[in-house]
Amino acid sequence: MTFSRRRFLGAGATLAGARMSGVPTQVTPSTLPPIELIALNRIAYGPRPGDIGRVQGMGFAAYVDEQLNPNDADDALCNQKIAEARLRIQYNAGMGYPAVDEMRPLRTIVENWSLTQLWSLSKNPAYQERIRPVEEVRAATLLRAVYSKWQLREVLVEFWHNHFNVDAYSDSRISATWTLYDRDVIRRHCLGNFRSMVRDVAKSIAMGFYLDNAFSRDGPANENYARELFELHTLGQENYLNHLYNRWRDVPGALEGNPVGYIDQDVYEAARAFTGWTIAHGQTVSGNIRLPDTGEFAYVDLWHDNAQKRVLAFEIDPNQPPLSDGETVIRLVSEHPGTARHICRKLCRRLLADDPPDSLVNALASVWLTHKNAPDQIARTVRALLLSDEFANTFGSKVKRPFEVIVSFLRATNADVTPNSGLFWQLQEMGYRMFNWGPPTGHPEESAAWLSTNGMLRRWNIINQLQSTWLKAATFDLPGQTPAGLTSRQIVEFWIARLLAIAPPPSTINRLVDLMRQNGSADAPPTGSAEEMTDRIRSVVTLIAMTPEFQLR
């Protein structure tokens, strides 16, 4: 048997295509991987070399507690990669500005740019300069996912970005200041207090312009933000009861001050509470009165509806102090038991399974509500989830999303990553539009949304493309990482252990061994030129990453 490119592709299609119907595959209890592998594939973007031994050495509970207390100063490799990163910016000359074509550092991140610096970019006549901050955050997000020691934080940052989704490219004021939304809102609160997070999201430039609340004023209020606050950010669709009740007093529990859900009246009243919350961008307030053009959050009392309101059966008296009405609404929705169940169910869907048991969701909701005023409310809830029996006793009921496929492959192969626009274009072709998902819902979480025929084909292709010379997004030294003197079977087993949490079927392993050994024995070191060895190892690693087992978490 002679190895060839055609045979390799044929083997790949056979291996992956024949078992495609098996994705996702729920792993039975008897074949569960060790807890450290479960954890590194769920609360991390897969293990890098050495990670499994480290978690085994310190113990899973200690690893969870470490991850819940990230320390940026203790992340040398990631910090170095971000500091050294260069991202091309290129555009032609235009009216009043010259052409640019340069490899530029991630300045807005490395130099910790302020609002004043970022806001000025929103006025730049060159579009590529206006979107530069979001391009830099995308590059840094990839580098952090691959290299950061604080993997759980990176997973949760992605979760919260998706939960409070904003299309960063929808408005130049959003794209130019995206560094602030990522750094000062999402990253700041990803393990903190949920009410504080909702408050800062509501006041952010990103959400203010994305859902139009920056333009909302008395008579009539713009309800876009208030609608998504209820439907997506807090109580969720599961607690929307307008199909059953159209008067607030009819909602069960309302007359006792504890409505079990919300109706449209609550949304309308909440929208009134947020009138006057805006972003200062030089707009006229009244007559000759204008707000400064600074990008700062601002409250305009002249635009606020000061009349009484009723939200979730709570009476808000008229003429409250500035911001009080909106702050009250944020407290009501953030501390509602329905919000606790909605958010905890979403966390379970991200970290456990599409259909988590109600018993676990309710237990986590109890932790969430008990610590509703704690500065580490989210961390306490996530800890309870990760140390639950359900987390330790299940695996394989979730499918990696495209970003996870790419990052987990880069981590397992210890690749040297170079973020570039080509890689993000490939990611977009796989259906994952980082910071560019249009609807406020965010990317779908359910596995079925990512398992189309085209989607699977692109998953297989991206593994080859990452190793191609044209994409230039990463470099690999797969032969150099393969221990010397191994037999063909041992080489296959070595890379299976690197890439997979659960072993593929014996038939798959045998085909991989056949590919590695060519005409030799499976239990002897493979023979051939250095170039042939490189091609075979690369092909084996690629095929392993194309198996259904690599897609699972």
Side-chain angles (χ1 to χ4, degrees):
M1 181 177 69
T2 302
F3 173 79
S4 70
R5 176 75 174 169
R6 179 171 296 180
R7 286 201 61 157
F8 160 65
L9 292 173
T14 303
L15 278 171
R19 296 174 52 233
M20 190 172 131
S21 59
V23 179
T25 302
Q26 176 64 50
V27 176
T28 61
S30 62
T31 57
L32 273 176
I35 185 63
E36 54 270 15
L37 276 174
I38 294 175
L40 288 167
N41 279 279
R42 284 181 175 168
I43 65 174
Y45 285 103
R48 294 187 77 227
D51 281 357
I52 298 172
R54 182 170 182 273
V55 179
Q56 285 174 331
M58 67 191 301
F60 175 59
Y63 177 69
V64 169
D65 287 335
E66 179 194 64
Q67 289 293 304
L68 290 170
N69 293 280
N71 176 9
D72 284 328
D74 183 16
D75 206 5
L77 177 60
C78 182
N79 293 337
Q80 176 189 340
K81 293 291 183 179
I82 292 176
E84 293 175 351
R86 299 291 184 273
L87 194 63
R88 181 176 294 280
I89 181 166
Q90 182 179 28
Y91 53 87
N92 297 325
M95 293 291 289
Y97 60 91
V100 168
D101 184 4
E102 62 186 44
M103 297 297 290
R104 187 182 293 176
L106 309 184
R107 289 178 185 165
T108 68
I109 295 168
V110 175
E111 298 172 8
N112 207 29
W113 276 29
S114 67
L115 169 60
T116 301
Q117 291 173 293
L118 294 166
W119 188 252
S120 66
L121 285 180
S122 68
K123 317 294 183 185
N124 196 297
Y127 172 74
Q128 288 80 2
E129 297 289 357
R130 299 199 298 272
I131 66 169
R132 178 68 185 183
V134 67
E135 301 278 276
E136 292 188 1
V137 173
R138 280 201 318 185
T141 297
L142 173 66
L143 291 171
R144 285 168 171 146
V146 174
Y147 293 112
S148 179
K149 176 181 178 180
W150 309 111
Q151 286 284 290
L152 175 58
R153 179 175 64 179
E154 295 311 308
V155 168
L156 290 178
V157 164
E158 195 271 349
F159 171 82
W160 289 118
H161 261 297
N162 205 49
H163 182 76
F164 294 106
N165 183 62
V166 171
D167 182 356
Y169 294 85
S170 62
D171 188 301
S172 291
R173 292 164 292 197
I174 299 175
S175 58
T177 60
W178 192 248
T179 310
L180 300 177
Y181 190 62
D182 179 69
R183 183 188 69 201
D184 297 345
V185 179
I186 300 298
R187 289 184 175 276
R188 177 186 176 195
H189 294 295
C190 69
L191 288 164
N193 180 270
F194 182 69
R195 185 175 69 244
S196 298
M197 190 181 218
V198 173
R199 179 201 61 210
D200 283 0
V201 168
K203 293 181 176 179
S204 70
I205 296 170
M207 196 61 75
F209 286 118
Y210 177 58
L211 291 180
D212 304 318
N213 203 68
F215 310 105
S216 185
R217 58 189 70 184
D218 185 14
N222 185 314
E223 69 177 71
N224 285 355
Y225 170 67
R227 174 73 62 183
E228 306 308 353
L229 174 66
F230 278 78
E231 190 169 315
L232 297 176
H233 300 170
T234 56
L235 281 90
Q237 289 184 335
E238 66 194 76
N239 292 295
Y240 178 64
L241 303 177
N242 212 74
H243 58 296
L244 298 174
Y245 315 102
N246 58 16
R247 298 190 309 170
W248 73 270
R249 65 177 62 250
D250 296 334
V251 176
L255 294 180
E256 292 76 39
N258 300 302
V260 297
Y262 69 99
I263 62 176
D264 286 343
Q265 281 185 1
D266 296 303
V267 174
Y268 303 150
E269 296 284 272
R272 293 174 53 218
F274 289 107
T275 49
W277 288 43
T278 189
I279 304 299
H281 59 284
Q283 67 270 49
T284 299
V285 174
S286 177
N288 295 324
I289 303 174
R290 299 175 69 91
L291 290 177
D293 191 3
T294 61
E296 297 277 1
F297 173 78
Y299 172 76
V300 181
D301 195 58
L302 279 175
W303 295 349
H304 183 62
D305 181 344
N306 280 310
Q308 69 273 18
K309 306 168 184 72
R310 181 187 296 109
V311 179
L312 293 174
F314 184 86
E315 302 280 358
I316 300 175
D317 291 336
N319 301 315
Q320 293 298 298
L323 301 175
S324 176
D325 290 0
E327 296 275 10
T328 298
V329 171
I330 287 172
R331 176 180 61 79
L332 291 170
V333 297
S334 298
E335 298 178 358
H336 194 281
T339 296
R341 290 190 297 274
H342 176 61
I343 300 299
C344 290
R345 195 180 306 280
K346 284 194 72 171
L347 283 168
C348 287
R349 283 178 174 155
R350 177 63 183 83
L351 299 172
L352 189 71
D354 285 346
D355 189 20
D358 286 340
S359 57
L360 176 61
V361 173
N362 291 334
L364 297 177
S366 177
V367 175
W368 180 273
L369 291 171
T370 298
H371 300 288
K372 64 184 180 183
N373 294 317
D376 58 349
Q377 174 195 19
I378 296 171
R380 288 171 182 264
T381 306
V382 170
R383 186 178 192 277
L385 167 56
L386 302 186
L387 298 183
S388 69
D389 290 341
E390 291 84 351
F391 185 86
N393 296 324
T394 57
F395 186 79
S397 54
K398 293 288 291 187
V399 170
K400 295 176 183 176
R401 296 197 291 199
F403 184 62
E404 296 173 270
V405 172
I406 291 174
V407 174
S408 59
F409 183 74
L410 296 172
R411 285 175 59 81
T413 53
N414 204 22
D416 190 9
V417 180
T418 306
N420 62 37
S421 59
L423 176 59
F424 290 110
W425 183 84
Q426 291 293 333
L427 193 58
Q428 184 170 304
E429 290 296 294
M430 297 171 72
Y432 191 86
R433 305 173 66 90
M434 184 185 288
F435 308 141
N436 191 203
W437 187 262
T441 54
H443 290 94
E445 183 59 63
E446 295 76 14
S447 296
W450 303 97
L451 291 175
S452 68
T453 303
N454 187 55
M456 291 303 299
L457 181 62
R458 290 190 178 280
R459 282 169 184 255
W460 300 330
N461 286 340
I462 192 64
I463 301 300
N464 266 322
Q465 291 163 347
L466 284 170
Q467 299 173 81
S468 69
T469 55
W470 64 267
L471 187 58
K472 299 178 181 176
T475 56
F476 302 82
D477 181 14
L478 302 180
Q481 297 177 65
T482 306
L486 296 184
T487 67
S488 293
R489 186 180 302 281
Q490 288 171 330
I491 291 173
V492 169
E493 291 171 347
F494 170 80
W495 282 105
I496 285 177
R498 270 283 194 93
L499 282 123
L500 305 181
I502 52 174
S507 59
T508 300
I509 296 175
N510 289 337
R511 296 204 67 166
L512 292 166
V513 172
D514 287 345
L515 197 63
M516 193 66 232
R517 70 182 177 86
Q518 296 289 304
N519 295 318
S521 168
D523 297 314
T527 58
S529 67
E531 184 179 356
E532 288 171 338
M533 290 299 103
T534 297
D535 282 348
R536 281 190 231 166
I537 291 173
R538 176 186 175 226
S539 300
V540 163
V541 170
T542 302
L543 278 168
I544 293 172
M546 294 168 73
T547 62
E549 286 74 19
F550 184 71
Q551 309 298 321
L552 302 178
R553 62 170 164 85

